[in-house]
Each structure stands twice: as structure tokens, then as C-alpha cells.
Amino acid sequence: MASFRLQGFQSLIRGNSRLLRPQQRRWAQVHDVRFLASHHDPKQVLDKYRAKLDEKAKQEGHDSVESLKEAYGEKIQDLRRKASTAATPEPDTPASTVPGTPPPFHPPPPPDSSATAKAARRISGESSPIKPLSTYLDVEKIRELPAKEIEALWRLRHANNPTAITAVISLDTYKRIADAARHNPQFILPLPRQTSEGQTPEEQPADAQNQTMADIHFLQWAFHPPAEGSAPASGQTANNHTSTVIFTHLGAYKMHGSFAQPHTTITHYLDLSDDKGLVLMHGQVVPDRGVSTSEATWLVSSVQRFYDFEGQASGRKGELVRMFTRGDVENFKVEELVEESERVH
């Protein structure tokens, strides 16, 4: 019998995995600034300053405040025309107001989204959130090498990085996994732990020594256009996208949603897919997020075991992924998920 560090899982999956939305975009952080707009009634302003307005009317030789307003009407309109801007245009009809009353606020037109995006790119100096493969290797030179040498170079390129995860995947295998991911972009994976933190098996209670602890992690797929400069100019090609998978502690995702910080991100590059039939995978583990590189490697390897529906995941593993997508609470069992994750085939 397995025990799990997971609370309220059924409430998370119930009603389809739509409850896990929205999709994450981890390469940019959005600051949602909300403003409190205060609205004042002109009658309240008029009542507040009535005594001063009555005094002003008498000084100007007028019988009432209304007579004062009529006398200053043209001057008020002229001042409004001079002060009008794109953000605060002149009202179409004269407002029922008095001297000293602020004009009503008119919101500016929405900015052009394409112009905003271009401006953001000029500021950041980046046109794509995904680093191209050329930042790691000379793509044109390695095209001339055999597949085995490309794989060796790819691993050596990241050998000195203790938080990097690399792999070379055959194009056929990747296509099967990517096709499943497009239909099932979200899933959870258990990370088995044989002992409690800080305890050896001998220090644990007798009834817990044969149990398996498991931390649950949430993964999300995303498919992006090819990184700038990596896609061919035209023609049929497998290099028509770049995919990413991000892993987050399930508890953190339940608490923070799309603002939860991932601990591992992997990217699949298809630059060599047409001529070499290879997909290069690069993963990066964020230090001090509670997951070691070896643990993240286990989670990444589990992706193929559960998403290769025509290969390793042709049986119960693939069905668990589909049940999660459907939100099948009755049949999806976390205990079974842990058991399947520990089966290599």
C-alpha cells in the first residue's frame, strides 16, 4: 500500500483537467496591476463649494450660481478644447459642471498589440522566448557528422553543467510522443521516495519500511514556432515547431496557478530532424527548488514511458494519461499511477 504527499487530489482532477488551466508561459512574468477608480458625483462637488460659488456670483454681479455658469460657459469650453488630449478628449456634449469641477475621464483607445509586441522585443533584445539550437552548437557543421557523433557532442556540450539534462530522440519516437502531448498537454507524475526525508529505512516505523513515498509533480506541454533562424525557408519539413515541457510541484501549482515557479524545463529541438532524423533535448533544473538533477531526470524519462502511446505507454500508462485529460475521477487512481511509474515497461 502506498502513501502519498498529496492532499485534495480528487478536487484537482474533478471536472476534467480544465481545472488546471490556464496554460503557463514561463518565459515571461506578467504583473497584474489593478487600480481602484473613484467616481465623484458632480452634485456633491456643487454642494461642497456652494457657499464660495454664491460669494463669487455676488462679486461678479450675478443673481445665482446658474447665472454664473452661463456667463463662464464659453470660457469653460475654450479651456476644455485647449486641454483635450487623446487620452482625455473633449466631451461631445457640455457637462453639467461649474468652475473648479474636473472634467469627466475618458479612457484612451487600446494600444496596437503588434506595436506593443515589437516595442517589448526592442527593449528585451529578444525576438523569441526559446533559445535556438545555434546557441549551443554550430548546427551547419554538425549536420555533416554521423548520428552517433552528434549524440556524443550534444552530451559533451553539457557535461560540465551539473543541472543540465540531455537526450537525443529518434524523430519517429518524438512524433508519437508529441502527437499524444497535443491531445493531453497536462499530466501528473509521481517521484518515488523510498524513505522519509532525513531518515534511513531502519529509522522508520516498522509498518512504513516497505511503503513507497511519492511526491507528485505537475507537467505541462507547450508548442512554439521554431526558434528564430532555425526553420527552413519553405517546403515540407518536420522542423515546424519547438516544444517545451515544464515541471512544477503539484502543491505549488495548486496554490499559485500559472504563477507557480517550475523546477525543471526541457526543450526539444527539431533542427536536425529532416536530414538526420534526430531530435535534441535539453533540460535545465533550477537549483534550490526541492528537486535534484537525478530526480528531475527520473521525471523526464517518465514522460516517454507515459506519452509514447504506441510504444512504452501502449498499455495502462497511456490510458492513465487519457483518463487524467478526461477528468475521470472514478477510474484514475494515484496508487496505480505510482505502480505504473515504477514499471519500466
Side-chain angles (χ1 to χ4, degrees):
M1 187 64 180
S3 63
F4 311 94
R5 297 174 190 168
L6 177 63
Q7 298 177 353
F9 170 74
Q10 288 191 346
S11 64
L12 177 67
I13 184 178
R14 182 175 288 111
N16 202 316
S17 61
R18 296 187 188 92
L19 297 179
L20 298 175
R21 295 177 182 173
Q23 298 287 340
Q24 293 177 324
R25 294 289 188 270
R26 298 295 184 178
W27 55 85
Q29 184 178 6
V30 180
H31 299 275
D32 186 11
V33 182
R34 300 174 185 269
F35 294 92
L36 177 63
S38 300
H39 303 280
H40 300 283
D41 188 348
K43 292 183 179 179
Q44 294 179 355
V45 178
L46 180 61
D47 293 339
K48 182 178 180 180
Y49 294 101
R50 180 168 293 278
K52 292 183 178 181
L53 290 170
D54 287 336
E55 182 180 352
K56 179 68 174 177
K58 292 178 181 179
Q59 292 177 355
E60 297 288 337
H62 296 281
D63 297 332
S64 65
V65 175
E66 285 70 21
S67 177
L68 178 66
K69 287 164 55 179
E70 292 177 1
Y72 278 88
E74 293 184 3
K75 185 176 182 180
I76 291 172
Q77 293 301 321
D78 183 57
L79 291 173
R80 281 181 179 170
R81 282 192 293 270
K82 292 179 179 180
S84 64
T85 65
T88 56
E90 181 185 2
D92 295 333
T93 57
S96 178
T97 183
V98 295
T101 303
F105 173 74
H106 296 268
D112 178 46
S113 58
S114 60
T116 303
K118 291 178 181 179
R121 288 176 179 176
R122 285 197 301 269
I123 294 172
S124 65
E126 298 180 2
S127 58
S128 172
I130 307 297
K131 288 184 178 181
L133 184 62
S134 58
T135 59
Y136 302 106
L137 295 171
D138 189 327
V139 179
E140 296 308 316
K141 285 187 177 180
I142 65 173
R143 287 186 192 277
E144 304 173 0
L145 302 176
K148 289 186 177 180
E149 292 188 21
I150 293 175
E151 180 174 356
L153 285 174
W154 182 240
R155 297 184 185 279
L156 287 172
R157 173 63 178 80
H158 304 282
N160 294 328
N161 186 348
T163 59
I165 304 173
T166 59
V168 177
I169 310 170
S170 70
L171 180 60
D172 291 339
T173 300
Y174 173 78
K175 283 183 175 180
R176 296 196 303 267
I177 296 173
D179 182 64
R182 290 182 186 276
H183 294 89
N184 306 273
Q186 300 172 338
F187 192 52
I188 59 172
L189 287 173
L191 179 61
R193 298 185 185 276
Q194 295 298 327
T195 63
S196 299
E197 294 181 359
Q199 288 185 323
T200 64
E202 293 75 13
E203 294 172 332
Q204 291 196 36
D207 60 350
Q209 290 188 16
N210 294 326
Q211 293 181 357
T212 299
M213 303 293 291
D215 292 337
I216 307 300
H217 297 260
F218 177 61
L219 71 86
Q220 295 183 90
W221 282 82
F223 293 86
H224 320 277
E228 184 177 0
S230 65
S234 62
Q236 294 295 323
T237 173
N239 184 25
N240 54 18
H241 71 276
T242 302
S243 67
T244 58
V245 188
I246 59 175
F247 296 85
T248 311
H249 293 282
L250 180 59
Y253 186 81
K254 288 172 61 180
M255 181 176 297
H256 302 291
S258 61
F259 293 97
Q261 296 296 318
H263 58 72
T264 303
T265 303
I266 64 175
T267 305
H268 299 98
Y269 295 100
L270 282 78
D271 300 61
L272 304 177
S273 57
D274 293 327
D275 46 358
K276 296 297 181 180
L278 300 177
V279 176
L280 304 187
M281 187 208 80
H282 173 256
Q284 187 64 46
V285 182
V286 181
D288 302 323
R289 292 272 170 87
V291 175
S292 66
T293 304
S294 59
E295 291 170 337
T297 301
W298 167 273
L299 291 172
V300 172
S301 65
S302 295
V303 172
Q304 179 178 356
R305 294 202 297 273
F306 280 89
Y307 273 87
D308 188 0
F309 288 174
E310 298 178 20
Q312 296 185 37
S314 59
R316 191 60 177 171
K317 291 183 175 66
E319 185 57 29
L320 285 169
V321 176
R322 297 185 184 95
M323 284 192 294
F324 184 86
T325 301
R326 295 195 302 265
D328 189 350
V329 180
E330 297 299 324
N331 296 307
F332 187 97
K333 305 298 181 184
V334 183
E335 294 87 350
E336 184 180 6
L337 176 67
V338 174
E339 293 175 0
E340 288 294 334
S341 71
E342 294 178 334
R343 293 195 180 104
V344 178
H345 298 289

